[in-house]
Amino acid sequence: MSDFAAVSAFLAALDGAREETEPFRHWTLRDVLDPDTLAGLKTWPHAAPRVRYDRGRREENNGTRRYVDAEAVDTFPPARAIAEALQDARVTGAIEARCGAALAGTNLRIEYAQDGDGFWLEPHTDIGVKMFTMFVYLEDGDEGRDLGTDLFSSPTTHSKRLSFVDNAATIFIPGEDTWHGFRKRPIDGVRRSLIVNYVTSEWRNRHELAWPDRPVG
C-alpha cells in the first residue's frame, strides 16, 4: 500500500474541489483516497462501539473513540498510508495554498468514527487548537444514505446537509461561523467516517495523534 498513491489521489481531489461559501466557506472533494487505501481502511480492525448518545457531543464517549494513532500507523498499513500522505509536504502545502490554512507546526489527528443508531451532534464550531477540519465518508453502498453532516448558519438555523457519498470529503477552516453537527435520524448499520484535523502544539491528548513528535514542516 503506497503513500505515493494516497498523495496523488488527494492532490487530484483537492485540485478538483468545488468551493462553496454558504453557510460558510468550505470545499467538497470526490475520490479523496486511492482505491487500495480506501479498501484497506474499510477493514478497520476495531468494531463499532456500543455507546449511548445523550448529550450530542463526541467527548461523552471518549473512552471508546479510535484514532489513526502511533499504534495504528505501526500495525495497520492503510493507516500508515493515509497518515504519511496527509503529513507529506506536498499535501500540506497544497492545502495551505488552496484553503488558506496555517499548518506549520501543527500535528495530524485522524479519528476513525463509527456511529450507530441514536447518534447525534449538537451544532458546534471547531475553533481554538484545530486549524483544519475534513470529513471523509466511508460508505459501502452504491448510493449514499441520508447521513451527511449538517451545516448551520447559526446555532439554531439549519442551512444544508452534505451528501454522504463514499470517498467524498468536505474541508473547512474552523472559525466562529463554522457551525456544523448531525441532526438525529435513523442510522441503519454503521455510519463510518474519518475526521481529519491539524491541531496546534497545545493539543493535550497526544496519544490521539498520528505523529506526536513530528509536527508539520
Side-chain angles (χ1 to χ4, degrees):
M1 194 162 297
S2 169
D3 59 288
F4 175 78
V7 167
S8 298
F10 183 84
L11 290 177
L14 185 62
D15 185 61
R18 183 177 74 251
E19 181 177 343
E20 301 183 45
T21 58
E22 296 297 332
F24 51 81
R25 192 181 186 204
H26 62 281
W27 293 262
T28 302
L29 299 72
R30 295 295 180 96
D31 299 324
V32 177
L33 304 171
D34 66 282
D36 286 346
T37 302
L38 175 64
L41 286 170
K42 290 182 178 180
T43 68
W44 184 247
H46 306 289
R50 294 185 178 182
V51 296
R52 291 176 57 90
Y53 305 104
D54 295 324
R55 294 187 289 146
R57 299 180 181 181
R58 287 198 179 277
E59 54 261 38
E60 69 179 297
N61 292 303
N62 273 349
T64 65
R65 298 168 76 178
R66 294 285 185 174
Y67 301 90
V68 176
D69 55 15
E71 180 182 0
V73 169
D74 286 343
T75 61
F76 188 52
R80 173 171 287 274
I82 189 173
E84 289 279 12
L86 292 175
Q87 185 78 11
D88 191 284
R90 291 166 292 182
V91 167
T92 57
I95 290 172
E96 290 180 320
R98 182 68 190 273
C99 305
L103 302 184
T106 62
N107 288 91
L108 177 63
R109 176 179 181 266
I110 307 172
E111 180 173 359
Y112 195 112
Q114 300 184 91
D115 304 315
D117 194 42
F119 170 72
W120 65 286
L121 285 178
E122 64 180 3
H124 63 285
T125 59
D126 291 344
I127 58 175
V129 295
K130 292 183 179 180
M131 305 301 290
F132 170 95
T133 296
M134 176 172 68
F135 306 122
V136 181
Y137 297 133
L138 306 176
E139 170 67 303
D140 288 330
D142 294 331
E143 297 183 6
R145 295 171 290 172
D146 182 30
L147 298 180
T149 303
D150 291 301
L151 305 186
F152 300 80
S153 56
S154 76
T156 58
T157 306
H158 185 265
S159 177
K160 71 178 192 179
R161 179 168 295 163
L162 300 175
S163 297
F164 191 76
V165 176
D166 190 36
N167 208 15
T170 296
I171 288 172
F172 63 86
I173 306 305
E176 294 181 354
D177 65 338
T178 55
W179 294 98
H180 60 285
F182 186 85
R183 286 185 159 181
K184 189 173 182 178
R185 51 199 183 271
I187 297 176
D188 181 17
V190 179
R191 175 186 186 266
R192 294 189 292 175
S193 64
L194 304 176
I195 306 170
V196 179
N197 300 111
Y198 293 93
V199 299
T200 72
S201 59
E202 297 175 4
W203 191 263
R204 296 180 179 179
N205 298 321
R206 309 300 291 178
H207 66 280
E208 299 172 357
L209 305 177
W211 315 103
D213 302 315
R214 186 177 151 193
V216 170

